[in-house]
Amino acid sequence: MIDPRFATLRVFSSTGSVARTAELTGYSASAVSAQLRELQRTLGIKLITKEGRGVRLTSAGRHFVAGLDGIVTQWELLAASARNASGQVQGQFGLGGFSTAAAQLLAPLAANLRATRPDTEVQLIEAQPQRCLDLLLAERIDLAVIVASQTSGGSAARDRFEQTVLLDDPLDVVLPATHRLAQHKSVALEDLADDPWISESGQSVYRALFVAAFTSLGVTPHIAHEAVEWETMIAFIGAGLGVGLLPRLATLGDAQNVVRRRISGAAKPSRRIVAVTRKGSRGSPLIEESLDILQRTAKDIISLRSAEELDG
Amino acid sequence: MIDPRFATLRVFSSTGSVARTAELTGYSASAVSAQLRELQRTLGIKLITKEGRGVRLTSAGRHFVAGLDGIVTQWELLAASARNASGQVQGQFGLGGFSTAAAQLLAPLAANLRATRPDTEVQLIEAQPQRCLDLLLAERIDLAVIVASQTSGGSAARDRFEQTVLLDDPLDVVLPATHRLAQHKSVALEDLADDPWISESGQSVYRALFVAAFTSLGVTPHIAHEAVEWETMIAFIGAGLGVGLLPRLATLGDAQNVVRRRISGAAKPSRRIVAVTRKGSRGSPLIEESLDILQRTAKDIISLRSAEELDG
DNA sequence: CGGAACCGTGCACAATTGGTGCATGATCGA
DNA sequence: TCGATCATGCACCAATTGTGCACGGTTCCG
């Protein structure tokens, strides 16, 4: 909004690559390249240097981006207050979130907004947490629901985003129905230390949670298989290939041959689900209302759980 | 730089007219109109309203411009530090000032810069103080030398500009050679209370100084004639039509039949000459060097005066 | 009360900006 | 050494953004 090139530069500073920046912003790679070059020309400073087959920010560039973060924040604040003052409708509103969040939290939010604000076009994008942050920077979306983690965004995150905690989502174990502990109401992770585990591949947020859950116990689990989708993981478990961890928010679906059990014991691993916005964009009426709705939805989920807890 | 439309809007907020904004920014009137309309559209707020045959900012517009001032300041700071960090040359550099300042202060500065920075294109614009401020806003110039006054810029001035005092320029009286006090070394304004005066027309800064000099004495001078150029005023005085005030920096030229005399007495009217920059643009190497040179030049002028003082 | 001056805006048209798609050179991994 | 990947230059095209001019509304002045 303030200057499209700023968004491009900020995404680049996050991804470190022209190609990824192009993919995230929706521009072509040559457009990103040209934008950065043009930006350097008008500023009269070198922002990027060639490094290997890629390109990276110069120290002057990093310094400039850091200053830009403050300016963009102030701009967001101003734009939000302007939108707030005049009761004008906002044309577009983009939401992002990872799979379970999208299903459980964003879908109700989108439905609600569609009902109360028919003139606003709400767009949903499902994406991994890090990607959600980059989409926020790229101004493709205005609000994201992601799993909190230290790695996401790095140190620049606090200059660029604001977080609101929605809920803590505990992890459950998923066992084959034939597992020796399948009949227990709850299971301690220590008792599964020697079982073959199924986790997610790559260095996803889930994977980080997975290892964190065990390192706090001083246990190194044996990861026998890796899956990308939970659907797949659950199928593996159903086939008796091992055991797995599944966030409470994720549904088992119509999976056969598996049971979901609470985790007992000292360590109760959970993931923290937060809503993230660009810094300064709070105060915009749509953002404020959305956060409100999200928190109410989260509260409903929590109270529903306590009810189940009492039932069980 | 950050967004040309911002400069346009800021100039408009200062001038209050599309036509004057167009003249100052160098755009056509319809371009200014279109820019403001486009800005409103993308922001989703109404910035201006029709009023009479003109147009004025809405309260939301004023609020937005106030916030914009802060953002532009921060941008100037960032751009200045970026330029400073990388020893890149700045392509263009614009200077503005009113007539005497242009001659006595800006000309040496321009000559100096031309010598030390041959790659930078220095542009000089002579203009009245208020116009200089608007040209600064319009980013047509980067530094102005003007006479300080309360009226110039209004309350928004402190959010938009930074000042550096260069020197205090005392006013002298100019008398016809045949005047009864022409032989005195110095003259008290009170002794000229009943003489016919020649001043400047309109509500210029000089005119404001003129009335201020007398109101502090409780005297209302009789303004018999008005002139636009000092050249003209001096000619009027030489013709015996009255007496006048002339800043020390302004030269008498080769005027005949007139004498210049110091003002004695309690009230020693003077005008304060200051260098003005856009807020935040200090720190840019060119600005810093220019201010340095200006202050040295001012110092030279002052010490030259003390020397003359001792001679006389 | 009428006319002239002025102001801001809409419109046709032109120029510049800013985009894509493809080819190219350079670098890295296998 | 070959293929994959990356950034960038270039031809080309679209969209933005400028100008010049005509027009309607308002104010000032005779």
Side-chain angles (χ1 to χ4, degrees):
Chain A
M1 155 63 67
I2 182 171
D3 185 337
R5 298 203 276 310
F6 291 172
T8 304
L9 177 60
R10 270 154 49 97
V11 175
F12 175 83
S13 84
S14 173
T15 64
S17 131
V18 170
R20 276 190 294 274
T21 304
E23 194 274 331
L24 283 159
T25 53
Y27 290 115
S28 66
S30 44
V32 171
S33 179
Q35 282 191 9
L36 295 179
R37 180 155 32 93
E38 177 63 11
L39 205 53
Q40 293 185 100
R41 200 188 59 76
T42 60
L43 285 170
I45 59 176
K46 265 189 68 179
L47 294 174
I48 54 179
T49 335
K50 281 196 265 256
E51 173 166 280
R53 70 178 156 181
V55 85
R56 67 167 176 79
L57 281 178
T58 62
S59 75
R62 274 192 300 278
H63 184 255
F64 180 76
V65 169
L68 210 52
D69 285 344
I71 289 179
V72 172
T73 297
Q74 213 168 328
W75 170 256
E76 293 278 351
L77 276 168
L78 181 58
S81 91
R83 272 196 293 272
N84 218 347
S86 77
Q88 216 82 6
V89 292
Q90 196 170 338
Q92 291 200 334
F93 191 58
L95 301 170
F98 59 99
S99 52
T100 46
Q104 308 270 352
L105 289 163
L106 289 180
L109 170 58
N112 202 319
L113 288 178
R114 204 177 296 267
T116 59
R117 311 222 179 198
D119 293 337
T120 303
E121 192 179 321
V122 179
Q123 190 192 8
L124 278 171
I125 296 182
E126 181 187 331
Q128 293 291 322
Q130 176 61 50
R131 187 180 164 80
C132 280
L133 294 180
D134 287 333
L135 287 171
L136 273 174
L137 277 188
E139 303 186 5
R140 292 272 294 268
I141 60 175
D142 303 296
L143 189 150
V145 175
I146 66 173
V147 175
S149 95
Q150 307 80 329
T151 60
S152 54
S155 63
R158 82 186 69 255
D159 289 333
R160 295 175 166 175
F161 306 112
E162 280 174 303
Q163 291 194 348
T164 305
V165 175
L166 293 179
L167 62 96
D168 284 320
D169 191 34
L171 297 178
D172 295 328
V173 290
V174 181
L175 307 173
T178 59
H179 194 273
R180 66 182 191 280
L181 299 174
Q183 301 313 316
H184 290 53
K185 260 197 123 82
S186 64
V187 178
L189 277 188
E190 291 91 327
D191 297 336
L192 293 169
D194 296 329
D195 281 62
W197 283 88
I198 301 166
S199 179
E200 209 168 76
S201 53
Q203 65 274 35
S204 65
V205 180
Y206 174 82
R207 180 65 171 259
L209 277 170
F210 187 91
V211 301
F214 287 97
T215 49
S216 65
L217 293 175
V219 173
T220 312
H222 169 55
I223 298 180
H225 307 284
E226 296 190 342
V228 180
E229 302 280 333
W230 282 325
E231 191 86 29
T232 321
M233 179 182 82
I234 294 167
F236 284 179
I237 296 171
L241 297 175
V243 299
L245 291 179
L246 188 71
R248 185 82 41 92
L249 271 182
T251 60
L252 269 183
D254 55 355
Q256 305 295 323
N257 309 325
V258 299
V259 295
R260 174 200 286 249
R261 292 291 175 257
R262 301 287 159 92
I263 293 176
S264 63
K268 299 219 174 181
S270 73
R271 54 179 198 175
R272 171 156 292 184
I273 295 178
V274 298
V276 187
T277 55
R278 273 188 302 278
K279 202 169 177 185
S281 70
R282 303 285 170 92
S284 173
L286 260 176
I287 298 273
E288 210 144 336
E289 185 177 339
S290 297
L291 288 176
D292 219 56
I293 295 171
L294 283 174
Q295 279 181 317
R296 276 210 304 275
T297 310
K299 216 166 194 171
D300 287 350
I301 292 174
I302 291 172
S303 58
L304 190 65
R305 279 185 190 158
S306 337
E308 283 176 355
E309 205 78 28
L310 290 176
D311 282 359
Chain B
M1 157 61 66
I2 183 173
D3 186 335
R5 302 206 267 326
F6 291 171
T8 304
L9 177 60
R10 271 155 49 96
V11 174
F12 175 82
S13 84
S14 172
T15 64
S17 133
V18 170
R20 275 189 294 273
T21 304
E23 195 273 332
L24 283 160
T25 54
Y27 290 115
S28 66
S30 45
V32 171
S33 180
Q35 281 190 9
L36 295 179
R37 180 155 32 93
E38 177 64 11
L39 204 53
Q40 293 185 99
R41 199 189 59 77
T42 59
L43 285 170
I45 59 176
K46 263 189 69 179
L47 295 174
I48 54 180
T49 335
K50 282 196 265 254
E51 173 165 280
R53 70 177 156 183
V55 85
R56 67 168 177 79
L57 282 177
T58 62
S59 75
R62 273 191 301 277
H63 184 255
F64 180 76
V65 169
L68 209 51
D69 284 343
I71 289 179
V72 172
T73 297
Q74 214 168 325
W75 170 257
E76 292 279 350
L77 276 168
L78 181 57
S81 91
R83 271 197 293 271
N84 217 345
S86 78
Q88 215 83 4
V89 291
Q90 195 171 340
Q92 290 199 333
F93 191 58
L95 301 171
F98 59 98
S99 51
T100 48
Q104 307 271 351
L105 290 163
L106 289 180
L109 170 58
N112 201 322
L113 288 178
R114 203 178 296 269
T116 59
R117 312 223 180 197
D119 293 337
T120 304
E121 193 179 319
V122 179
Q123 191 192 7
L124 277 171
I125 295 181
E126 181 188 332
Q128 293 291 322
Q130 177 59 51
R131 187 180 164 82
C132 281
L133 294 179
D134 288 333
L135 287 170
L136 273 174
L137 277 189
E139 302 186 6
R140 290 272 294 270
I141 60 176
D142 303 295
L143 188 151
V145 175
I146 65 173
V147 175
S149 94
Q150 307 81 328
T151 60
S152 53
S155 64
R158 82 187 69 255
D159 290 332
R160 295 175 166 175
F161 305 111
E162 280 174 304
Q163 291 192 350
T164 305
V165 175
L166 293 179
L167 63 96
D168 284 320
D169 191 35
L171 298 178
D172 296 326
V173 290
V174 180
L175 308 172
T178 59
H179 194 273
R180 64 182 191 281
L181 299 175
Q183 301 312 317
H184 289 55
K185 260 196 123 79
S186 65
V187 178
L189 277 188
E190 292 93 327
D191 296 336
L192 293 169
D194 295 329
D195 281 64
W197 283 89
I198 301 165
S199 179
E200 210 168 74
S201 54
Q203 66 274 35
S204 65
V205 180
Y206 173 82
R207 180 65 171 259
L209 278 170
F210 188 91
V211 300
F214 287 96
T215 49
S216 66
L217 293 175
V219 174
T220 314
H222 168 54
I223 298 179
H225 307 284
E226 295 189 344
V228 181
E229 301 282 332
W230 281 325
E231 191 85 27
T232 321
M233 179 182 83
I234 294 166
F236 284 0
I237 297 171
L241 296 175
V243 299
L245 292 178
L246 189 72
R248 186 83 39 94
L249 271 182
T251 59
L252 269 184
D254 55 354
Q256 303 296 322
N257 308 326
V258 299
V259 294
R260 174 200 287 249
R261 292 290 174 259
R262 302 287 159 90
I263 294 176
S264 62
K268 298 218 176 182
S270 74
R271 52 181 200 175
R272 172 157 290 186
I273 295 178
V274 298
V276 187
T277 55
R278 274 188 302 279
K279 203 170 177 184
S281 69
R282 302 288 170 91
S284 174
L286 260 177
I287 297 272
E288 210 145 335
E289 185 177 338
S290 298
L291 288 176
D292 219 55
I293 295 172
L294 283 176
Q295 280 182 317
R296 276 210 303 276
T297 310
K299 218 167 193 172
D300 288 350
I301 292 174
I302 292 173
S303 56
L304 190 66
R305 279 185 191 159
S306 336
E308 283 177 357
E309 205 78 27
L310 290 177
D311 283 358

